[in-house]
Structure formats: C-alpha cells, structure tokens
Amino acid sequence: MKNYSSSPRLNNHSASHSTDRNSRKRFWLSALGLRFSLRDYGFCMATLLLFCLGSLFYQLNGGPPKVLLEIRQYLGESTFVDDHGPPTPRELPFPSQVIYNRVGKCGSRTVVLLLRILADKHQFNLVSSDIHNKTRLTKHEQVDLMKNISTIPQPFLYTRHVHFLNFTRFRIEQPVYINIIRDPINRFLSNYFFRRFGDWRGEQNHLIRTPQMKDDERYLDINVCIMENYPECSNPRLFYIVPYFCGQHPQCREPGVWAVERAKQNVIDNFLLVGILEELEDVLLLLERLLPHYFSDVLTIYKSPEFWKMGNLTGTVKKHMPTLEALQVLYQRMKYEYDFYNFIRDQFHLTKKKIGLKSTSQNSAHEPEFLRELALRTHEPFEEEEEEEEEEEDVGQEDANIWLVQP
Ligand SMILES: *[C@@H]1O[C@H](CO)[C@@H](O)[C@H](O)[C@H]1NC(C)=O
Ligand SMILES: *[C@@H]1O[C@H](CO)[C@@H](O)[C@H](O)[C@H]1NC(C)=O
Ligand SMILES: *[C@@H]1O[C@H](CO)[C@@H](O)[C@H](O)[C@H]1NC(C)=O
Ligand SMILES: *[C@@H]1O[C@H](CO)[C@@H](O)[C@H](O)[C@H]1NC(C)=O
C-alpha cells in the first residue's frame, strides 16, 4: 500500500499559489480596463484579422519559399499539371544511341580507352572511327555517315573527331550526344607541342613518323608564331572547339557570335552532357549517373593502377610556356572560344549541383590573374595518340545558300 500522507500538504500549497496568481491577474485586468474600452478591443481584433489575411495573401502570392524553389529546380522545374498528370518515370530513360564527337586534345584518348573496357563489360557496341583528320563533311558524306551510324546494332556508342551532325535535318532519328572540352589556350598549347614532338612514344619516334614537317616549322618558337601572326596561331585556325558543337554549316567555322550562339543552343538541345577535362573525375561520375548502361564503374576503372599502366598515360611532352604578353594576345584571339568554354563550365557546374556535387573551382576566371596562373602551370594531364586534323582550307566547301535549302 502506498502512503499518501503528504498529499494534503501539497494540495494546500498549490491552492494558495493559485489564489496568489488569480489576484495578480485581476489586478492587471483592472489596470488594462482603465485604458481599453470595448471599442478599442474591437479595433485591435480587426487589425489582427487584417494582418492575418495580409500574411495569408502574401504567402499565396509571394511565391513559394526559396528552399522549395531549389528543390523544384533539382526535380526539374515541373509544373502543377506535370505533378498531377501521370507519374514521371523513377528510372532514367535509356538512350540506346550515343555519339561522342570527341574534340581533339581534350582527353579523348583516355575516355576511348575506358570505353573499350566498358563496352566489353556492359555489352554495348563501341564504334571508334579511325579517321582523325576530317571533321567537316560534304552533304553526301554526312548522309552516308549518318546512315552508317544508324545501322549500328543498338545499344551503341559511336565516336569520332567530327563536327556535330544534324540527323534531324535528314529525317534520321537524332542520337544523344556527349563530349568533353578543356581550357582553350591549354588545348591549343597541347596540340602545338604534340604536332611537333609527339607523345609518350618519344620524340625520336615522332620525328620518324612525321618526316614531312620541316625543321623551320618543328622548332618554331611559339612566341614567334603568336606575335608574328602565323596562320597556325591565328584565326580561323584558333577557332577550334566551337565548330564541334555548332555543326557542319560553313558559318560554324567563322569566329563570331552566330557560331557561338548556335553552338550553345545546340548543346542545350542535343547534348546530354558536355564535361570539362579540368574536372574529369566529376565528368566520369556524372556519366556514370546519367548513362549507367554505358558508364557504370567507370570511376573505379579510371582510378585503378592497371588502367594507367595499360594506357601509358603518364608520358609528358616538352612544353614551353608562351610569355604573358603572347598569352594575352592569344586570349584576345580566342575570345569566342572562351565565351563558349565559360558557358559549358557553368552548365557543367549546374548539372553537378543538381546531382549534389560541389564545385571547388572558382567562377569565371578574370583575364589577368587567369593568364598569370596559366603561365605558371606546367603539368600536362593527358597525352593523346590521335593525329590532329590537318585539313586544307575549305575542304567540303558548300555554299551557305545551298545549305539553307531543305533536303
Ligand atoms: C559506311 O559503311 C560502308 C560499309 O560498311 C563503308 O564502305 C562506307 O565507307 C561507310 N561510310 C562512311 C561515311 O563511313
Ligand atoms: C537541325 O536541322 C533542323 C531541321 O532542318 C533545324 O531545325 C535545326 O535548327 C538544325 N540544328 C542545328 C544545330 O543545326
Ligand atoms: C603502352 O606501351 C607499351 C610499351 O611501350 C606498348 O606495348 C603498349 O601497346 C602501349 N599501350 C597502348 C594502349 O598504347
Ligand atoms: C587524313 O589522313 C590520311 C592518312 O592518315 C591521309 O591519307 C589523308 O589524306 C588525310 N586527309 C586529309 C583531309 O588531310
């Protein structure tokens, strides 16, 4: 049995306490009563009601909270109708036709080596063209190539150094595109020295493989090339990355706003992902997420020592950095290339953000510091065996007017 002897005392205590409180309340009520009449009370309530309505109105019209907007953006900016229509697929759609129209000197040798391993592992058809020096085609060559590509058994990944092919224009089903680019000056320098001195296979080897190159050209000082306006270091030859994304239209090879804007729009419309070589591991990670049927486990393979040994990816080429002055001239000449590169980098970072990856690199580089930093940089991450295109001017030349006529 329990002993409740203490309870009366407790009750007593709390009763006296509440009496105390009641008297205090009465005091305050009377004090307030002196100041506020019933009418004031009504006015007060009306104000409160108005405030509540106003707040409600604000919430309904002021748009959703920022965090909700961010979540919606992550989920893909769906509308009310989308949300109440048929449910969106929980699984990623599976593109069974993928084209990687690889840009020269942007790490594509590494990616193609990875793709060879992945094609075995995941059972897709990898077709890697061995034409490395023909990026623009006549209309007939385009149609032939596109027909060829579309007969490859699906799922396939086709890769070649070629400017964007517009399948839609010839009423063939448009495959999904992917690509990787890099800082335009670094790409240019990499190519400049690769052409002259080759890759990991050694300089002697390269001299034998390129007998047609005269010493005057091979040992041409890069500063002379830039400052004395040699064609190799001037436009239109410096306008290199944008045409891969703009397409086969002749105007796509003219450095200018038209080509850059078309390239940007085309990236939005037709490319699943354009990565930047400076963040290659994140590019591979995103490819793994977006195209799992092709790229699952790519990061594990990429990080394995066997892969690096197999690919001979450690070789470096001798490289002389141009002077700061020459770099500045180059930067001016490549302003359209940089416009495009910065756009791609921003898009890439946005995609990373949506997947939940942080971008450590800073935003738009500011010219002077950026160039100074570049001048100090020496390492070369990847060397490629592919020959750079060496096309004579206006191969596959087509009149822009003919181009505009529908097929
Ligand atoms: C298309 O395929 C055929 C047969 O495989 C080949 O002869 C032809 O050269 C290919 N054309 C192109 C443009 O690749
Ligand atoms: C591709 O061709 C279609 C049809 O002619 C055209 O509407 C579209 O603008 C073209 N896109 C590009 C990037 O050339
Ligand atoms: C790497 O180098 C070795 C020997 O130098 C060579 O046998 C091998 O084919 C090279 N690998 C590739 C992928 O080129
Ligand atoms: C491309 O290279 C091949 C051999 O590698 C050569 O026969 C051909 O003439 C080159 N084409 C152009 C347009 O330079």
Side-chain angles (χ1 to χ4, degrees):
M1 275 241 169
K2 281 192 174 172
N3 186 356
Y4 290 106
S5 68
S6 65
S7 49
R9 241 183 71 207
L10 249 174
N11 281 346
N12 224 347
H13 178 81
S14 64
S16 75
H17 187 81
S18 79
T19 333
D20 224 39
R21 251 196 343 231
N22 280 346
S23 68
R24 222 179 291 154
K25 203 154 120 208
R26 269 198 302 276
F27 169 78
W28 278 111
L29 277 174
S30 63
L32 284 168
L34 287 176
R35 293 184 194 187
F36 296 113
S37 67
L38 196 61
R39 203 218 255 143
D40 288 332
Y41 177 74
F43 178 74
C44 189
M45 288 313 281
T47 312
L48 193 63
L49 186 71
L50 239 145
F51 173 76
C52 289
L53 282 174
S55 157
L56 188 68
F57 187 76
Y58 172 79
Q59 284 180 46
L60 288 175
N61 282 273
K66 195 161 157 277
V67 63
L68 195 59
L69 280 176
E70 281 168 1
I71 294 169
R72 285 216 180 119
Q73 198 182 5
Y74 171 75
L75 295 173
E77 285 183 300
S78 58
T79 64
F80 178 87
V81 178
D82 294 333
D83 289 345
H84 293 74
T88 49
R90 288 327 260 144
E91 231 171 88
L92 270 173
F94 169 36
S96 55
Q97 308 181 60
V98 180
I99 293 187
Y100 169 32
N101 63 327
R102 56 187 198 266
V103 180
K105 291 281 160 291
C106 293
S108 65
R109 174 167 177 253
T110 307
V111 178
V112 171
L113 279 176
L114 286 168
L115 280 168
R116 293 215 180 107
I117 297 166
L118 292 167
D120 265 353
K121 198 173 155 81
H122 302 313
Q123 300 294 301
F124 61 87
N125 286 304
L126 173 68
V127 180
S128 178
S129 169
D130 50 12
I131 303 170
H132 302 309
N133 59 359
K134 198 165 164 60
T135 55
R136 44 194 205 240
L137 311 168
T138 65
K139 200 160 142 183
H140 284 300
E141 287 169 336
Q142 288 175 49
V143 176
D144 278 355
L145 180 56
M146 285 186 279
K147 281 185 179 156
N148 267 21
I149 292 173
S150 57
T151 58
I152 302 169
Q154 298 179 13
F156 71 77
L157 192 149
Y158 177 83
T159 175
R160 172 176 166 173
H161 289 293
V162 67
H163 294 168
F164 178 79
L165 296 164
N166 191 348
F167 286 67
T168 315
R169 181 166 175 250
F170 300 98
R171 300 191 175 80
I172 308 171
E173 197 191 338
Q174 183 80 37
V176 163
Y177 276 77
I178 55 170
N179 218 329
I180 299 174
I181 63 170
R182 76 192 283 191
D183 175 85
I185 290 182
N186 275 329
R187 198 216 71 82
F188 166 78
L189 294 176
S190 170
N191 184 53
Y192 187 90
F193 294 107
F194 173 79
R195 281 191 64 231
R196 288 165 172 77
F197 307 110
D199 52 17
W200 49 270
R201 284 166 294 191
E203 188 175 330
Q204 284 311 313
N205 201 334
H206 190 77
L207 298 190
I208 294 161
R209 289 196 310 141
T210 53
Q212 76 287 357
M213 193 183 272
K214 302 275 178 291
D215 276 2
D216 280 356
E217 185 183 358
R218 197 186 303 276
Y219 299 103
L220 174 63
D221 184 325
I222 189 158
N223 292 306
V224 174
C225 181
I226 296 166
M227 300 312 280
E228 296 183 13
N229 305 319
Y230 281 57
E232 184 179 358
C233 300
S234 308
N235 277 311
R237 295 263 297 267
L238 291 178
F239 195 60
Y240 180 84
I241 298 172
V242 172
Y244 276 90
F245 298 87
C246 177
Q248 298 283 340
H249 193 292
Q251 216 176 328
C252 283
R253 303 193 295 271
E254 287 169 24
V257 175
W258 187 90
V260 172
E261 290 310 314
R262 192 178 171 118
K264 287 180 186 171
Q265 189 57 47
N266 205 15
V267 166
I268 291 166
D269 293 342
N270 289 300
F271 284 76
L272 178 63
L273 185 74
V274 183
I276 54 173
L277 184 62
E278 291 80 4
E279 295 171 37
L280 183 61
E281 283 195 16
D282 288 341
V283 177
L284 297 178
L285 191 63
L286 287 195
L287 284 171
E288 203 168 322
R289 298 277 177 91
L290 297 172
L291 290 171
H293 295 84
Y294 298 83
F295 286 96
S296 279
D297 300 325
V298 67
L299 214 51
T300 314
I301 299 168
Y302 175 73
K303 286 180 174 172
S304 69
E306 297 81 44
F307 174 72
W308 287 80
K309 246 181 263 162
M310 184 192 82
N312 299 322
L313 294 169
T314 48
T316 48
V317 177
K318 81 167 73 166
K319 188 159 155 180
H320 320 272
M321 260 297 167
T323 61
L324 187 57
E325 193 190 5
L327 282 173
Q328 273 159 349
V329 170
L330 213 48
Y331 186 81
Q332 276 311 307
R333 288 185 193 158
M334 298 178 96
K335 64 178 181 193
Y336 294 113
E337 292 274 278
Y338 272 98
D339 180 348
F340 183 72
Y341 173 77
N342 290 334
F343 168 81
I344 292 297
R345 191 181 48 187
D346 290 348
Q347 291 278 315
F348 179 67
H349 287 169
L350 192 67
T351 311
K352 270 170 70 171
K353 205 165 137 193
K354 285 184 183 178
I355 301 281
L357 289 173
K358 258 194 206 143
S359 298
T360 43
S361 72
Q362 70 288 10
N363 262 338
S364 286
H366 294 297
E367 187 198 340
E369 301 99 89
F370 156 72
L371 290 175
R372 217 159 285 138
E373 192 205 315
L374 191 66
L376 294 172
R377 223 180 286 165
T378 48
H379 91 280
E380 179 65 26
F382 311 98
E383 298 310 328
E384 300 179 47
E385 65 183 318
E386 287 139 6
E387 303 302 327
E388 189 71 6
E389 62 174 311
E390 288 260 23
E391 298 176 63
E392 56 267 38
E393 290 307 305
D394 293 322
V395 157
Q397 180 184 31
E398 272 185 283
D399 194 306
N401 294 325
I402 293 172
W403 178 271
L404 293 172
V405 177
Q406 287 297 307

